[in-house]
């Protein structure tokens, strides 16, 4: 069981050659940011999909049994880290996918897929909805606990914020043993998180 890493949204529509063509990505920056924050919050709470960690949801005008189902193309013995799920939509919805008007409906589809196939006693629907709510309502201000280091006297935590420019804006906080805030510092914005390795913490110093 691996913790979720990504949810990606694709689309496909019926054509004259193939009634179930390969999914294609599309541009909707606002939707991408919201989905990414939802994944960040789910990841912070150790939400698992099973034996894979990338969920690809394909919005399609093709017929899908029960409207949402595991795609036949999903099982790939060479790339076992992802699965495709198809979600049936109408042509009007399909035509909206690069506009802000689609966002709420796509988020609802993502929630339905997770509820139907991946919620469990350990991570129930209510818990999942709270993650969605926090990601959506807080937007750029949402904090994801990314790394933590605890010493005998202090605790250092790096939080991540995901900005609308698709960059991470990390925040460092240091607390004493009574949970009083000793230090709060913004770290440089970044596309990548590789620079944030081990946290070294002493009584008077924190090094990343």
């Amino acid at each position: 069981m691996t913790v979720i890493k990504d949810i990606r949204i694709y689309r496909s529509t019926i054509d004259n050659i193939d009634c179930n063509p390969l999914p294609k990505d599309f541009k909707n920056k606002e939707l991408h940011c919201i989905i990414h924050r939802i994944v960040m919050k789910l990841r912070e709470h150790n939400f698992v999909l099973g034996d894979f960690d990338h969920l690809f949801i394909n919005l399609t005008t093709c017929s899908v049994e029960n409207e949402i189902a595991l795609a036949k193309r999903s099982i790939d013995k060479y790339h076992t880290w992802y699965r495709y799920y198809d979600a049936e939509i109408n042509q009007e919805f399909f035509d909206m996918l690069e506009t802000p008007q689609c966002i709420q409906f796509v988020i609802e589809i993502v929630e339905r897929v997770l509820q139907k196939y991946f919620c469990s006693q350990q991570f129930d629907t209510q818990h999942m909805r709270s993650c969605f709510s926090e990601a959506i309502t807080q937007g750029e201000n949402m904090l994801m606990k990314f790394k933590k280091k605890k010493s005998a006297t202090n605790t250092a935590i790096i939080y991540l914020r995901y900005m609308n420019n698709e960059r991470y804006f990390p925040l460092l906080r240091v607390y004493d043993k009574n949970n009083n805030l000793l230090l709060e510092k913004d770290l440089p914005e970044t596309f990548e998180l590789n620079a944030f390795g081990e946290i070294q913490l002493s009584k008077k110093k924190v090094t990343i």
Side-chain angles (χ1 to χ4, degrees), residues 36-206:
H36 193 74
R37 291 184 190 115
I38 290 171
V39 172
M40 289 168 64
K41 189 53 60 174
L42 290 171
R43 184 169 178 79
E44 179 183 346
H45 289 260
N46 296 310
F47 183 77
V48 298
L49 299 171
D51 59 352
F52 66 102
D53 51 32
H54 283 60
L55 174 62
F56 298 164
I57 298 176
N58 177 43
L59 308 174
T60 181
T61 58
C62 299
S63 179
V64 179
E65 186 177 358
N66 298 320
E67 295 186 342
I68 295 175
L70 177 66
K72 294 180 181 179
R73 76 182 66 83
S74 185
I75 306 301
D76 182 342
K77 64 180 180 179
Y78 299 107
H79 302 90
T80 59
W81 45 271
Y82 71 84
R83 296 287 189 278
Y84 272 103
Y85 281 75
D86 287 333
E88 183 177 344
I89 60 173
N90 59 36
Q91 188 64 48
E92 182 181 3
F93 189 2
F94 184 91
D95 294 337
M96 292 169 50
L97 290 178
E98 294 194 12
T99 71
Q101 287 71 36
C102 82
I103 291 174
Q104 179 181 348
F105 300 104
V106 175
I107 297 301
E108 289 174 0
I109 290 173
V110 173
E111 187 173 350
R112 285 171 58 197
V113 172
L114 294 180
Q115 285 181 358
K116 183 174 182 180
Y117 293 101
F118 304 107
C119 281
S120 63
Q121 290 183 343
Q122 291 74 30
F123 204 112
D124 61 17
T125 299
Q126 184 176 355
H127 193 176
M128 186 197 69
R129 284 177 176 170
S130 70
C131 292
F132 271 65
S133 177
E134 189 172 349
I136 294 167
T137 59
Q138 294 187 11
E140 289 185 313
N141 295 317
M142 188 203 80
L143 298 178
M144 171 198 173
K145 188 181 293 183
F146 178 57
K147 286 182 179 290
K148 180 178 179 180
K149 180 72 172 183
K150 191 171 183 178
S151 70
T153 55
N154 297 331
T155 300
I157 303 174
I158 297 176
Y159 294 95
L160 296 181
R161 294 162 293 191
Y162 193 69
M163 313 310 288
N164 292 333
N165 62 6
E166 299 179 303
R167 286 175 174 262
Y168 295 102
F169 192 14
L171 174 68
L172 172 65
R173 288 177 176 170
V174 180
Y175 300 88
D176 66 17
K177 62 182 179 181
N178 295 316
N179 207 34
N180 297 310
L181 183 63
L182 302 176
L183 172 69
E184 183 173 73
K185 181 177 178 60
D186 289 324
L187 303 177
E189 285 192 24
T190 179
F191 280 116
E192 299 291 338
L193 298 172
N194 296 334
F196 297 96
E198 181 183 355
I199 302 174
Q200 297 178 354
L201 181 63
S202 66
K203 189 173 182 179
K204 295 184 178 180
K205 184 178 180 181
V206 56

